[in-house]
Amino acid sequence: MKKLYIIITSVLMILSGCSPEDGTYTLKIISTNDVHGSWFDEDYVTGEQSASLTAINSYVDSIRKAEGPENVILIDAGDCLQGDNASYYYNYIVPEKAHLFPRIAAYMGYDAIIVGNHDIETGHNIYDKVRKELESEGIPFLAGNAIRTDSGKPYFQPYTILRKNGLKVAILGYTNANIKAWLNESLWEGLDFKSLIPAVQEDVNKVIAKEKPQAVIVAVHSGTGDGEGNVLESQALDLYNSLEGVDLLIGAHDHRPYCISDSSFSYINAGNAARNFGLSTIRITIEDGKVSSKTTESSLVAADPGNASQSMKEKFKEDYDAVKAFTMKEVGKLEKDMRTSDSFVGMCDYINLLHTVSLGCSPAQISIAAPLTMNQTIKAGTLIYDDMFKIYRFENQLFVVRMSGQELKDFLEYSYNLWIQTASRPEDHILRIIPREDARAGTKKWSFDKASYNFDSAAGINYTVDVTKEYGDRVCISTLADGSEFNFDEQYNVAMTSYRASGGGGAMTEGAGIDTSTIDERVVAKYPEIRDLIYQFITQNGTITPELIAGPHLGHWNFVPENICGPALERDWNLMFGN
């Protein structure tokens, strides 16, 4: 109903063929991105308030009321369909039902949604369904650079034209250009993804020539980047520095709130998880039926989690209750706390669980796994389905990939080099951690300088990592877990995530030197999502004990020499997690 007035006005404008009357117009553009399923304002387990679209909707309503709905545009820049219990529930648990996200998008009155890489990761069945349901609500799902391999035409709608108070506004949308480096082809079969440079400018020129809009907005699911033109997944600043004919650029993907605004062109990235939204203003003066002047400004607005829309909560209460019931479902028991932070200093229960599940998938001989959160504790006691998201936060499949012993060794060298550095004495840092000032607390916090979800270790083999050696000489593999010979020329079946097998994190490509564009030639088995495998393992075993997930099947690894790495790792761990 929120769009009714706008739709009627637009139809009348189109039918009458009216150009905008002379005068000054003000458009307000509200943007969200990387919401990752943060749709509800109450935690399913604790009931605590959290950032959500339900809270952002209150701001949208108030801005529409203040400015007039005909002057407001609402855009999301992608990654809507993965990241929360609610999105998982509607993607995979009840796929036969109408998906919740299109219904929420329609209720909030979104004018356009951009396709994100995590939306593609749900697979054709999900994102094709969501696209149809969004389109049935009059909301385009945009990705002009996702190209059909059979025809060369865009798979998704490339742009949309809005009529706002007589003005013609073009919105062009694009997904991330680097998707093929992270996701297996089964998820994007039949598609190719073009770099945003020069594709966006070429499309902008065509749209301006054809549609003659008074305002042009480009929304990309691409990270901000450094503007140097050398990072395919982060091309937003590349665009900001080069685009012509565009008034507003909306970015996404990297979860970093960012804003550049001057009088002629603005760039806004609202961050992630509905903590902020972008608020941009385009002012247009029309004289003699033509644009005589135009200004743009943008800012980030922090959304108060407590400012939730009560009408929206009531509208989707039945959906919330269904997700909550699913979330609270008992799965099994955990005998001892598991901490992801222990993964950075050696073998631990958390990583042992992931390796044990992976090695149980035939014909895996060796497992590669990384901690998916830096500092998560899964408490001992009754496990509910919500704990499955704490144990495994991403929707990765498990692949078993054929690798040589030398490729595995090179993979591990690359991985460990992401999170350790060479040390020669106990006083040296071993973990690659850097201090960051916390201005609010007046203290210094330490953090890794790389993403910890790329810090892989291996199981199924016995090896050491010598912290006194340089990259390339640290990992020494002695035998397979059963004591048999490890051969660098032998081919082994290695279990890993679909993300890693497709090149995510760089260990397969830059480390092992494997061309992941042909990875399916090496894949000997594919399994469902790893979270589901963990769920099955827990339900089958009932209680997870340290003994169940340890043992000779894992082999063993550790840092050496002990006289250096023992005290150094303990100190580094305490700097990171001791408090």
Side-chain angles (χ1 to χ4, degrees):
M1 295 300 293
K2 291 184 177 183
K3 285 190 172 182
L4 184 58
Y5 175 82
I6 304 171
I7 292 171
I8 293 173
T9 302
S10 299
V11 170
L12 291 174
M13 290 285 184
I14 293 169
L15 291 175
S16 63
C18 289
S19 297
E21 296 180 358
D22 286 1
T24 298
Y25 298 78
T26 300
L27 294 174
K28 295 288 183 179
I29 300 91
I30 305 166
S31 58
T32 56
N33 54 271
D34 298 278
V35 171
H36 285 291
S38 297
W39 303 331
F40 299 116
D41 72 310
E42 292 184 23
D43 185 275
Y44 308 110
V45 179
T46 66
E48 295 177 357
Q49 288 182 326
S50 58
S52 67
L53 286 184
T54 310
I56 286 181
N57 188 62
S58 294
Y59 294 90
V60 174
D61 284 346
S62 64
I63 293 169
R64 283 195 178 115
K65 183 176 181 181
E67 302 292 333
E70 71 279 7
N71 296 312
V72 178
I73 298 171
L74 180 59
I75 302 171
D76 186 274
D79 274 6
C80 313
L81 304 179
Q82 279 190 346
D84 182 84
N85 307 25
S87 53
Y88 183 83
Y89 179 75
Y90 280 94
N91 288 347
Y92 307 114
I93 305 302
V94 290
E96 71 282 359
K97 292 188 176 181
H99 201 286
L100 178 56
F101 179 69
R103 291 185 281 128
I104 285 177
Y107 180 85
M108 293 181 66
Y110 272 95
D111 294 287
I113 308 290
I114 312 306
V115 179
N117 58 287
H118 279 280
D119 303 324
I120 295 294
E121 191 171 14
T122 63
H124 267 291
N125 287 344
I126 304 302
Y127 61 77
D128 287 345
K129 172 187 175 182
V130 168
R131 176 181 61 173
K132 291 177 182 177
E133 292 180 1
L134 283 170
E135 290 173 351
S136 72
E137 299 285 358
I139 305 170
F141 206 19
L142 303 179
N145 63 323
I147 306 301
R148 296 178 64 108
T149 55
D150 59 356
S151 66
K153 296 180 179 180
Y155 185 80
F156 298 91
Q157 186 172 326
Y159 73 94
T160 188
I161 298 294
L162 305 180
R163 290 279 187 170
K164 290 290 181 177
N165 202 13
L167 296 175
K168 203 174 188 182
V169 182
I171 303 174
L172 294 83
Y174 301 85
T175 193
N176 199 282
N178 202 40
I179 283 175
K180 292 168 70 173
W182 308 313
L183 304 181
N184 185 258
E185 186 176 356
S186 61
L187 300 172
W188 44 266
E189 185 177 5
L191 300 179
D192 196 10
F193 302 93
K194 291 175 20 179
S195 171
L196 304 186
I197 306 290
V200 175
Q201 185 65 69
E202 293 172 351
D203 290 348
V204 165
N205 295 344
K206 292 176 183 176
V207 169
I208 290 175
K210 178 182 178 181
E211 305 287 355
K212 297 178 175 53
Q214 283 80 41
V216 177
I217 300 168
V218 170
V220 299
H221 191 82
S222 188
T224 298
D226 57 13
E228 297 298 320
N230 53 9
V231 182
L232 189 61
E233 73 171 289
S234 299
Q235 295 185 294
L237 277 187
D238 302 338
L239 291 171
Y240 183 77
N241 292 335
S242 62
L243 279 178
E244 297 180 354
V246 177
D247 303 297
L248 173 64
L249 174 65
I250 301 169
H253 182 64
D254 56 17
H255 296 191
R256 292 192 300 129
Y258 196 95
C259 181
I260 305 174
S261 187
D262 62 35
S263 60
S264 61
F265 189 22
S266 291
Y267 168 64
I268 190 84
N269 178 335
N272 72 311
R275 296 182 181 94
N276 308 290
F277 63 90
L279 183 59
S280 304
T281 303
I282 302 176
R283 292 187 178 87
I284 302 171
T285 299
I286 303 293
E287 292 182 352
D288 298 327
K290 297 181 180 180
V291 175
S292 63
S293 66
K294 189 160 43 174
T295 62
T296 306
E297 60 186 43
S298 295
S299 62
L300 291 163
V301 181
D304 179 4
N307 189 32
S309 166
Q310 294 303 310
S311 59
M312 184 170 173
K313 288 182 67 171
E314 183 60 32
K315 171 71 175 179
F316 298 104
K317 184 179 184 304
E318 184 176 329
D319 297 282
Y320 173 83
D321 289 343
V323 176
K324 181 180 177 68
F326 162 71
T327 297
M328 297 298 293
K329 176 184 176 182
E330 290 191 10
V331 175
K333 294 187 181 300
L334 182 66
E335 186 175 273
K336 183 182 177 182
D337 286 359
M338 293 193 303
R339 300 187 303 187
T340 62
S341 59
D342 291 338
S343 308
F344 308 119
V345 295
M347 298 180 71
C348 67
D349 288 347
Y350 172 76
I351 288 292
N352 286 352
L353 172 62
L354 301 188
H355 283 314
T356 297
V357 170
S358 296
L359 288 172
C361 295
S362 177
Q365 299 166 280
I366 297 168
S367 168
I368 289 170
L372 298 191
T373 55
M374 192 170 68
N375 189 19
Q376 177 77 63
T377 298
I378 300 94
K379 291 290 187 181
T382 299
L383 293 171
I384 59 176
Y385 206 96
D386 188 64
D387 293 310
M388 302 302 100
F389 295 96
K390 295 176 182 177
I391 294 171
Y392 210 90
R393 60 183 292 203
F394 298 125
E395 270 93 67
N396 298 140
Q397 293 175 271
L398 184 76
F399 283 11
V400 182
V401 179
R402 197 170 60 252
M403 296 176 69
S404 71
Q406 185 63 56
E407 289 170 337
L408 176 65
K409 198 266 189 188
D410 294 342
F411 179 107
L412 291 173
E413 288 282 359
Y414 183 92
S415 173
Y416 280 99
N417 194 53
L418 294 175
W419 46 295
I420 69 165
Q421 55 197 331
T422 302
S424 59
R425 53 191 186 134
E427 293 77 22
D428 294 337
H429 287 295
I430 292 177
L431 300 182
R432 289 187 181 275
I433 56 176
I434 54 177
R436 302 184 193 274
E437 298 293 335
D438 187 336
R440 291 175 298 178
T443 58
K444 185 183 294 183
K445 290 186 176 181
W446 292 78
S447 62
F448 288 111
D449 64 354
K450 297 287 193 300
S452 60
Y453 54 73
N454 289 323
F455 298 173
D456 285 296
S457 65
I461 55 175
N462 294 305
Y463 68 101
T464 59
V465 182
D466 192 332
V467 301
T468 67
K469 302 289 181 65
E470 297 294 331
Y471 173 43
D473 294 319
R474 293 178 179 137
V475 177
C476 180
I477 305 173
S478 56
T479 66
L480 293 173
D482 62 7
S484 60
E485 179 185 5
F486 180 86
N487 191 323
F488 288 98
D489 296 323
E490 186 77 24
Q491 295 289 314
Y492 297 101
N493 294 326
V494 183
M496 64 181 69
T497 69
S498 53
Y499 165 78
R500 192 71 76 234
S502 299
M508 288 288 277
T509 52
E510 298 174 44
I514 293 172
D515 179 5
T516 55
S517 68
T518 58
I519 195 64
D520 280 345
E521 297 175 7
R522 290 173 172 257
V523 174
V524 295
K526 293 182 180 181
Y527 282 84
E529 290 183 358
I530 297 171
R531 184 190 297 131
D532 190 49
L533 296 174
I534 293 169
Y535 167 77
Q536 292 174 25
F537 179 82
I538 295 173
T539 55
Q540 288 167 6
N541 288 279
T543 299
I544 304 303
T545 66
E547 295 75 22
L548 177 68
I549 53 178
H553 66 288
L554 296 181
H556 183 80
W557 78 268
N558 62 285
F559 290 111
V560 295
E562 174 61 28
N563 66 315
I564 292 177
C565 63
L569 286 170
E570 181 179 3
R571 185 186 63 255
D572 285 353
W573 190 94
N574 281 323
L575 286 173
M576 290 278 288
F577 310 109
N579 294 325

